Amino acid sequence: MQVPAYVEYEKATSVGHALALLARFGPEARILAGGHSLIPMMKLRLAQPETLIDINGLSELSYITVTDGELRIGALTRHAQLLDSPVAGAHFAILHDAERVIADPIVRNWGTVGGSLCQADPSEDLSAAFAALKASMIVQDPDGSRTVPAREFHTGPYETVVAPGELLTEIRIAIRPGGGSAYEKVGRRVGDWPVGAAGAAIRLAGDTIAEAGIGLTAVGAQHFAAAEAEEFLRGAPATEASFARAGEIAAKHCRPSSDQRGPADYKRHLAKELTTRALRRALLRARHQDA
Amino acid sequence: MQITVTVNGSDYTREVEARLLLIHFLRDELRLTGSHWGCDTSNCGACVVWLDDTPVKSCTVLAAMADGHRVFTVEGLERDGTLDPVQQGFAECHGLQCGFCTPGMMLTSRWLLNHNPHPSATQIREALSGQICRCTGYENIVRSVLWAAKHAEEPTS
Amino acid sequence: MSEPKGAAPPGLRSEGRATREGGASKAPAGERENTAYGPVKRKEDARFIRGKGTFVDDIQLPGMLHGAILRSPLAHARVVSIDTTAAEAHPKVRAVITGQTLAGLKLAWMPTLSQDVQAVLATDKVRFQGQEVAFIVAEDRYSARDALELISVEYEPLPVVIDAKKALDPGTPVIRDDLAGQQDNHIFDWSAGDRAATDAVFAAADVVVAQDMLYPRSHPAPLETCGTVADMDAVTGKLTIWSTTQAPHAHRTVYALVAGLPEHKIRIVSPDIGGGFGNKVAIYPGYLCALVGSIVTGRPVKWVEDRSENLMSTSFARDYHMHGEIAATRDGRILGLRATVLADHGAFNGSAQPTKFPAGFFHIFTGSYDLQAAYCEVSGVYTNKAPGGVAYACSFRVTEAVYLVERLVDVLALELGVDPAELRMNNLLRPEQFPYTTPTGWEYDSGDYPRTLQVALDIAGYADLRREQAEKRERGELMGIGISFFTEGVGAGPRKHMDILGLGMADGADLRVHPTGKAVLGISVQTQGQGHETTFAQIVAQELGMSPDDVEVVHGDTDRTPFGLGTYGSRSTPVSGAAAAVVARKVRERARIVAAAMLEASVGDLEWDNGKWQVRGDPEQGKTIAEIAMAAHSSLELPEGVEGHLSAETVYNPPSLTHPYGAYICVADVDAGTGEVSVRRFIAVDDCGVRINPMIVEGQVHGGLADGVGMALMQVIAFDEDGNCLGGSFMDYLLPTSMECPSWELGETVTPCPHHPIGAKGVGESATVGSPPAVVNAVVDALKPYGVRHADMPLTPANVWCAIQGHPQRTDLAIT
């Protein structure tokens, strides 16, 4: 097995301590949470941080609560915990749909929600799910915290707005009535990164779509979102025809590239197909008709 | 750096580099070679052990992260000469051939049965979906776990 | 080429019914009460379930050092310079070995198993991405890995040859300019069958259907990677090598020849092996480097490769570009088969098969059918990829052959508009035709093919499945049923025809019964999970009327076991299993003489019954093997010329191959919107002759069926145009999990092998051979509404969708 290069190690005892360590060790320090994105990169020597700041002891960052009309997820929450959380699943089924198809059960035991988001892989599933939900990220620095909309969180492949001295601490999603959400993913095999995946979150007003969020991953969609398709759906009837059209628009505006998972035209097709399927299921859930 | 890890109930204090992977700590430092490794990308699951009460891929965990914590490996399954029903099930139902994936499969199965004493075949397959076997085609592994679930209360030899 | 006929027990028919001749001792196994055969639990499990197996990486010796290999990032380049100064200065590094170092020892190149040579460490050029360039020996694993980065290599990139179809184009760079006289990338041409007769059959046929198909490059990927611990004791001159090897004795001889070391001073130990599947047959550069490292440092050296090294540099499998044609009458009688194959062998010809068969047993591609004529030709070429080719349970290219014929039969069925089950049933060989000589010279030993196919169809509920499919097609849902009927050829082989590197493929066995009646059997084959410690004990126990618990099987240590060619190609039961039975019978015959002395009777008055030699008709006066063993070691007077104790040895030279066969049916559902394939059911009916341990046989089949799902749907080692290997990790080289595999449905028929002492045939690779065409046939069948005739493996969602659009992908190269 491949092994990491030499690295120094510090164990953080609080969020404040973690931030102080980040300041002290500078940009070559990396936060170590579940490590299931970082350690594989270190083993392949694609990442060679000088110092690891282990935050696994920060239980104050591991929670799933409903506060002030928001679902709030601590960044250190393990994937398995999010998948097992009844409150998260009740409000946002898309999160369970997505977690169920992220990696495998053992990796989910230790990998964290925050870690995956900060890894910012262009094929990462939660990025699309949170984009669909129009979530917000709370980023903390020694002076306080700031709120970053999910769609502004990622700045490029493997790049986020979290600066070297900062820490992602929480993800928040506003809970509003009349909603339903779903996630649809195609992989070459269980546990694979997506060839293409789409998440949809809609809010109904009668038989009309009041609000729609569509997240896409692995297909080069800007900010993991299909903004044009969302715009089309706002005020549109909640019908199969609308969903098919939304799928077409989403496909038109993404920029997939060909690789061993599939050629670009197939991925573009998936953007369409999976957007439509996610919308269909989101609607069933919004109407409480999903078996 | 110095770490102290409780493995199968015994404390071990060792001087290690921060980059030492937990699987290597177990195998090379502690000579507990029952846990194996088979890949570089956290896919195969040959390295599964419990960290505290949770199965993890020990090739993707630093030994330093286990400092002050508990680890449970295949060597801890048998107690006082009595095999765990999971171990018995694998032997009864031909759930192993080369034996390389077996420790990881048994540890995840043991965890599953602790949380879900009567899993369906589908639930067993889902629980083991992050671990590869090249020999058995999984069928007899599933049967082994079902056997262990059924014989949980019976005396073991 | 035809195999010599063996001396077959007379009158064997399907199901093991047989006519008896002479005493019970001569009756074939199918007739006797098989008390030791059966689903006996495995003896080897005791250590594995406790995590107490000993695999190569478990071995720790005092003073042991660790090796790591620096590998080429480029697929084709001249090595301009290697600077190891910084690496040598690393405080934990004990030696740095390069091609130059080895050249001084005449070890920079080593012979392959195909009469080629392979670089141990590169000297002039690197010829595939991942090729070995330097070897570090350091105090620990982590330091060895660190030191790799301190070696600085200057390469001059050369144009790469990746597409096998272009390897012979004029002007293509010559990869093997190290070989005198090599002007191009051509390795060999080989053919079998009667070309003229075949062409005549095709010319006269009503229907001729042609299909190109690729059996893509894949990799056996056993869960344990390859590795070794080499320990040269400078004082005694004894070299001990613990190694992941499926053929310890063959390796010992090769090390002796290659390294010029005295063979009696070399001990190879195969400890527990975490899966072989043909990946652990070759001698890899890492093994030799570890050996040299041990000699140079005077300490044991361990080298265990990581997964990317395993996938990128060790023996790959398949990579056959095949063009097949099938000729038939309009009413569905198959007349002939023709095939032209382009074999991609990578940068060195390292495929492992008997010397006279550069394309292995591919000419078994006539399959299970009664044909008038057949002809095939295979051309091998070099490309800038890793060497290998024969691996991954292929039975020496039988996987490729079976895939070709079973896909062609389905393509023919599509063309003729007939049901594929019916087409097969009408063309299968009939039981009365056995032993049957194929148009390419194979002699199939025994089989009742139509019965086996019928059993599979019955288990599947075939008619119901076709009804369900019709209903689903009405609703636009895609469901497919795929059949594969295969005949294998395993148990290499008669030494007159089959050798590897000049070593004839006959295997030894020795058996010793101790004074208190327990026995030790030494065998030459090497289990990697197949359960030999149990099944071979069962064979001896059956012959000697003992319990398998009282027979200890010793294997894997060349100091303690007889010579043989090892385990691959499903040869253990056919060859070594036969040797075990023969040597046990020799012991039993010696026991007869001792028993006669004990009973003061003549040898001719004794009969073997129920585990005892007794005076005919007088069971009161019977002696068990245990009693005889004690007597044989005692002061009992034995006849003139008869030696004491109770042991024997034998070398079994198989008279012929054995031909297990089977009928497989796959049911698959395809999502038309995404191309995702789900294998709903898989029915496998195998006939491997007499089954020593049905539990173990079924386990072998289960494992091979998973290979079929994997190869058909997800596994491929592809390359981009620069020669970068795209399957270098388990993130991209995907293996099937418990979720993709259905609950396998097994059946059996038993048609004993007439020339095998216990009527058994090999079975280890049958499922890997038979399953991929069943899955592919199912998917293509599902796509029938779209007019899809063929799509190459792996049938990933993308590839299936592309096939639906009318342009299935070429899967061996990067997707663009």
Side-chain angles (χ1 to χ4, degrees), chain C residues 211-264:
Chain C
Q211 183 62 54
D212 285 335
M213 58 186 89
L214 167 68
Y215 208 132
R217 178 174 282 233
S218 64
H219 194 283
L223 200 59
E224 178 205 30
T225 58
C226 302
T228 192
V229 175
D231 185 13
M232 171 59 103
D233 184 323
V235 171
T236 63
K238 179 108 183 222
L239 172 64
T240 306
I241 295 181
W242 288 265
S243 183
T244 51
T245 168
Q246 298 175 225
H249 302 87
H251 278 207
R252 187 188 67 194
T253 304
V254 173
Y255 286 128
L257 294 170
V258 166
L261 298 165
E263 191 171 358
H264 68 303

Side-chain angles (χ1 to χ4, degrees), chain C residues 246 507 523-527 532 536 555-556 566-567 571-572 576:
Chain C
Q246 298 175 225
D507 277 49
I523 55 174
S524 58
V525 289
Q526 179 53 51
T527 187
H532 293 173
F536 280 78
H555 63 93
T567 294
R571 66 189 297 273
S572 294
S576 197

